[in-house]
Amino acid sequence: MKYKAVLFDMDGTVLDTIEDLMDSVNYSLQHFGYEPISMQETMANLGNGARYLIQKSCPPDLTEQQLEEILTFYTAWYNDHSLIKTKAFAGIPELMAELSANGSQTVIISNKPHHTVEKLGKIFFPGIACYGERPGIRRKPDPEAVLKTLEELNVAKEDAVYIGDTEVDVLTAKNAGVDCIAVSWGFRSLEDLHAAGAKVIAATVAELGEILQ
């Protein structure tokens, strides 16, 4: 394999989570008396963590206290309802197994809350280290999570790649000084990824595997 460390985003990259995310956002909004949002709106609001997702999904005139109440409700609800429709993208588990078999260390780094990332990781990708948003670690596109992971793996930047589906992931890789592969089956269009500066884009899992070779 070309890389000693292959780092993946979670939502829209290795897991198809959009329906559970949208349903949890809308359940939370309706619980507090607000209108639901569409799937397109949900997708547009994803990538920068739960707080950003809720803030962008709510009316703009909410107080900080109101936002915190909805965020707290949503975080707990989604954690308990994150496995209803969520599934791994076809071919991803096999690709990860192939990477491991060929000596690449594989890790998932997400802006989702850490406890939810760990739970989903254990179910869909047992044995693979999964990191979400944690206290003391700045979330993507800050490179801290990526750089800390590479330090723990004892892998140099030039031997690592970050794979994701949004402009946040492209910028994370750039900020960390590692190669980037964007995937177009997630939350952003091909045009969005090009606009974000993605130079290498995989349209299918098979194509991603070929690029990693």
Side-chain angles (χ1 to χ4, degrees):
M1 282 290 174
K2 180 179 179 181
Y3 298 101
K4 294 180 180 178
V6 182
L7 314 179
F8 289 89
D9 171 52
M10 179 170 270
D11 294 303
T13 301
V14 297
L15 287 184
D16 183 359
T17 56
I18 186 61
E19 290 190 75
D20 281 338
L21 285 164
M22 182 184 69
D23 290 348
S24 293
V25 168
N26 284 336
Y27 186 87
S28 302
L29 292 174
Q30 291 173 313
H31 177 81
F32 287 91
Y34 301 112
E35 290 295 314
I37 62 173
S38 67
M39 183 170 288
Q40 281 302 119
E41 289 171 315
T42 306
M43 292 174 71
N45 294 342
L46 287 164
N48 286 282
R51 169 176 280 275
Y52 182 91
L53 170 62
I54 294 303
Q55 188 174 36
K56 287 294 185 180
S57 301
C58 287
D61 57 350
L62 293 188
T63 66
E64 187 64 24
Q65 181 178 345
Q66 288 173 314
L67 180 61
E68 282 295 331
E69 288 176 357
I70 300 171
L71 176 60
T72 299
F73 182 92
Y74 162 79
T75 301
W77 180 267
Y78 175 63
N79 186 61
D80 291 341
H81 299 81
S82 57
L83 288 165
I84 297 171
K85 301 173 183 176
T86 289
K87 57 186 179 294
F89 286 109
I92 286 291
E94 292 80 6
L95 174 61
M96 287 187 168
E98 181 182 353
L99 289 169
S100 297
N102 284 283
S104 295
Q105 300 186 75
T106 306
V107 178
I108 293 172
I109 299 175
S110 172
N111 275 344
K112 294 168 80 72
H114 183 64
H115 59 283
T116 304
V117 170
E118 277 195 317
K119 182 179 80 170
L120 293 172
K122 287 177 181 176
I123 292 168
F124 291 102
F125 310 110
I128 291 178
C130 298
Y131 301 107
E133 186 174 5
R134 298 162 283 165
I137 304 291
R138 292 182 293 275
R139 69 174 179 267
K140 303 180 300 180
D142 191 283
E144 184 174 10
V146 169
L147 296 178
K148 182 176 175 62
T149 298
L150 293 180
E151 182 180 355
E152 292 171 351
L153 296 177
N154 194 29
V155 172
K157 294 179 183 180
E158 57 267 25
D159 293 322
V161 61
Y162 192 77
I163 300 167
D165 67 307
T166 73
E167 69 284 346
V168 175
D169 301 312
V170 176
L171 187 55
T172 298
K174 180 181 178 181
N175 290 342
V178 302
D179 285 354
C180 176
I181 303 173
V183 300
S184 60
W185 59 74
F187 298 154
R188 299 293 187 270
S189 68
L190 192 61
E191 291 74 22
D192 291 333
L193 294 172
H194 281 303
K199 300 293 192 298
V200 180
I201 303 174
T204 66
V205 174
E207 185 178 354
L208 175 59
E210 291 171 4
I211 294 170
L212 288 170
Q213 292 281 3

